[in-house]
Amino acid sequence: VCGLRFLFILVVILSSCASVEDPYLYSLRKLPEEILHPVSSVSLEKYDVKSPTDIFYHHGSFVILDSHSEYCFNVLDLEHETKTGIIRKGRGPREAIAYSISFCEDEPFLYDMGSAACVRVNIDSSIASSRPILDTISVLHNNRGTPAPLQIAGEFFLSPYPYESGAWYVLRNREGKVLSKLRAPSYPVLSEMNTNVYYSFIMSSFCTFNPHNSKMCAVSVNSPTISFSDIMKTELHEYKRYEYDGPIISEGGDAFSRLSKRAFSRPVSDDAYVYLLYSGIPFSGSDDNLPAYEDHHLIVYDWEGVPRRHIVLSEHICAMCVNGHTLYGVTSYPECKIIEYDLLET
């Protein structure tokens, strides 16, 4: 009990101090901070998960991306304590070496940069047959300038677009043709970056969609930048944007400074809300050695782009998924585990 009370006080103090120095957290000062403690947690040691980078919920199981795995993703069935690898990493048939994973309407899709193909992955059939069961839904013939990560939103694709100054995200049709563009952040420091750093800045972005694929929210990893847009026929219409601090770069613009802070991880959403994980930790790590990719702050927005809740997670996570009012987070520091939080307001 004493330990939990101390942790509660420590998290509040650290969060308050960070808000003073962090323009993004300071902008949320009118929202009461809610301290949230886990409902449960599960160690991933027995599943040989060494470096999880993302998590998805799928029909009672978890899809885990592990950078040290020989598979593109693994399916964990915690009830039966099994792990099944889906799509081996490689250059052979039914393998992928450079790819992105996204979920649309509760189905997983893999975009393979090598073949420029986007495939639907049938998880249940793949597990039952012990081989990947894939359904190719599109081959992007206009492959030039179509990098991972590419995400599917109904009949369209969205991807970061670092090939044209002034563009951030683009909306593509199923053949890969660019239909609409979302403007790049307006930080002056972007003009000081060399080509490689600018490419990295734009590419280090994520987006999420509402269940009807009619709205999107885009965020940046390297700066606290948030954009809300309507997807109207073949156009992106931005209706809300937040820009706070640009990244810090080295003299000459040839690298990000280690003092630059990590902003957002991959967002998730449902019909009512968008959930953003925010770090605010320098890429060099925090004073207590917490890696920048581990997050304590969960900010909840409605689809009008209005922040509604500022939740401080007592145990940090690096990625998340939401199923109903339950948030499942995954962490790799100091050990790999899945952490469950209840998001119901008390």
Side-chain angles (χ1 to χ4, degrees):
V1 176
C2 292
L4 287 175
R5 186 173 300 164
F6 173 77
L7 178 61
F8 178 89
I9 295 172
L10 180 61
V11 169
V12 171
I13 292 174
L14 291 176
S15 179
S16 299
C17 292
S19 298
V20 176
E21 302 175 355
D22 190 305
Y24 175 61
L25 294 180
Y26 184 73
S27 75
L28 304 170
R29 64 192 180 279
K30 294 184 179 179
L31 288 176
E33 291 186 355
E34 310 169 44
I35 309 297
L36 207 58
H37 298 287
V39 174
S40 65
S41 64
V42 177
S43 172
L44 297 179
E45 183 178 4
K46 70 167 65 175
Y47 299 100
D48 196 32
V49 174
K50 293 183 172 64
S51 187
T53 59
D54 217 337
I55 181 172
F56 301 89
Y57 185 84
H58 181 72
H59 300 166
S61 298
F62 294 101
V63 172
I64 300 287
L65 276 61
D66 181 356
S67 61
H68 286 181
S69 172
E70 62 180 307
Y71 292 93
C72 294
F73 63 85
N74 294 278
V75 180
L76 270 57
D77 183 339
L78 301 186
E79 181 180 354
H80 298 97
E81 299 186 342
T82 61
K83 182 182 83 167
T84 305
I86 306 288
I87 306 181
R88 192 179 298 274
K89 294 176 183 176
R91 303 183 185 279
R94 296 181 180 270
E95 296 180 343
I97 194 67
Y99 59 90
S100 61
I101 305 288
S102 62
F103 271 66
C104 181
E105 299 174 0
D106 201 35
E107 291 186 299
F109 293 83
L110 181 143
Y111 170 66
D112 179 11
M113 287 184 64
S115 65
C118 183
V119 298
R120 180 189 293 109
V121 185
N122 190 315
I123 289 181
D124 294 336
S125 297
S126 296
I127 293 175
S129 62
S130 299
R131 64 184 182 89
I133 304 299
L134 311 175
D135 176 23
T136 301
I137 64 166
S138 180
V139 176
L140 282 70
H141 300 293
N142 180 18
N143 192 35
R144 183 177 179 273
T146 311
L150 182 145
Q151 292 178 259
I152 184 170
E155 294 300 311
F156 302 101
F157 297 114
L158 281 111
S159 64
Y161 196 71
Y163 304 102
E164 178 182 311
S165 177
W168 182 14
Y169 260 93
V170 293
L171 181 73
R172 302 174 183 271
N173 64 14
R174 286 289 179 91
E175 287 70 46
K177 180 182 178 181
V178 173
L179 304 174
S180 183
K181 299 173 184 176
L182 186 66
R183 69 174 177 87
S186 57
Y187 305 116
V189 71
L190 267 64
S191 64
E192 302 172 17
M193 297 176 176
N194 69 16
T195 302
N196 290 337
V197 175
Y198 182 80
Y199 181 95
S200 176
F201 175 80
I202 296 296
M203 286 287 287
S204 299
S205 305
F206 296 103
C207 62
T208 186
F209 316 96
N210 68 347
H212 305 291
N213 297 312
S214 60
K215 293 180 180 292
M216 72 167 283
C217 174
V219 299
S220 172
V221 173
N222 291 308
S223 70
T225 306
I226 311 167
S227 170
F228 290 88
S229 299
D230 286 317
I231 304 175
M232 302 177 66
K233 295 184 179 179
T234 60
E235 295 285 333
L236 292 174
H237 291 275
E238 185 180 61
Y239 57 86
K240 193 80 170 183
R241 179 178 288 223
Y242 298 94
E243 294 185 4
Y244 296 93
D245 255 356
I248 302 173
I249 59 174
S250 63
E251 187 175 351
D254 58 354
F256 288 106
S257 167
R258 297 289 288 168
L259 298 178
S260 194
K261 295 180 179 179
R262 181 182 172 98
F264 299 106
S265 298
R266 183 182 61 83
V268 299
S269 59
D270 54 28
D271 196 45
Y273 299 109
V274 177
Y275 305 88
L276 304 184
L277 274 179
Y278 180 74
S279 170
I281 298 174
F283 283 98
S284 58
S286 67
D287 292 339
D288 58 352
N289 296 319
L290 183 67
Y293 56 78
E294 294 284 347
D295 309 313
H296 273 296
H297 297 277
L298 175 67
I299 317 300
V300 183
Y301 288 78
D302 62 25
W303 274 108
E304 296 303 313
V306 178
R308 294 299 184 184
R309 300 175 69 184
H310 179 184
I311 299 170
V312 180
L313 305 174
S314 65
E315 293 195 30
H316 52 78
I317 56 178
C318 65
M320 64 176 172
C321 57
V322 172
N323 181 48
H325 59 78
T326 303
L327 180 148
Y328 298 101
V330 65
T331 179
S332 62
Y333 181 87
E335 63 175 314
C336 300
K337 58 183 177 179
I338 293 174
I339 303 174
E340 177 184 347
Y341 287 99
D342 189 344
L343 295 178
L344 277 178
E345 297 186 73
T346 55

